[in-house]
Amino acid sequence: MATTTAAEKATREEYLQLHGWMCMAKALDDRMHMLVKQGRAPFVGSSRGHEGIQVASTAAIGPEDWLVPHYRALANALVRGLTMKEWMLAVFAKAAATSRAAATATAG
């Protein structure tokens, strides 16, 4: 999603997409906290409260722009195309989590 200039207006669908990414980030973050408390995940690099700024800043850059996220940048990764399934596979260190990254690296 490219940003709009001051003269342009975002559509309802664009606002809903932004909200959806924030909700996904919050849901995954909440799930990670539960899994850590249950002893099923090693740790959580929480991004609680940062969902909005992460989604907005990543939505504001173009597809050709670089994004170098850190371990607490879940919402940034979601905006760039990471799925909830891929996130959970990575949390549990499942081999399928790296297949997309490997395919992208070898395709270029």
Side-chain angles (χ1 to χ4, degrees):
M1 170 187 293
T3 59
T4 59
T5 64
E8 298 173 353
K9 296 286 184 183
T11 66
R12 176 179 170 79
E13 290 75 27
E14 290 171 326
Y15 286 125
L16 290 173
Q17 180 66 63
L18 293 169
H19 185 260
W21 283 322
M22 289 189 290
C23 290
M24 279 192 284
K26 174 87 168 75
L28 284 170
D29 197 75
D30 289 347
R31 175 63 58 188
M32 285 299 304
H33 281 276
M34 285 187 260
L35 291 169
V36 168
K37 285 181 183 179
Q38 294 170 355
R40 296 174 58 203
F43 87 108
V44 59
S46 183
S47 62
R48 283 185 176 172
H50 298 172
E51 299 91 349
I53 191 64
Q54 288 182 7
V55 167
S57 63
T58 306
I61 61 177
E64 70 285 348
D65 293 324
W66 281 59
L67 172 68
V68 184
H70 58 90
Y71 71 103
R72 291 182 184 248
L74 173 58
N76 299 105
L78 290 172
V79 173
R80 284 296 192 158
L82 183 77
T83 66
M84 294 175 90
K85 179 179 179 180
E86 290 169 332
W87 176 258
M88 294 310 290
L89 287 170
V91 166
F92 292 108
K94 299 294 182 182
T98 59
S99 62
R100 179 176 159 180
T104 303
T106 58

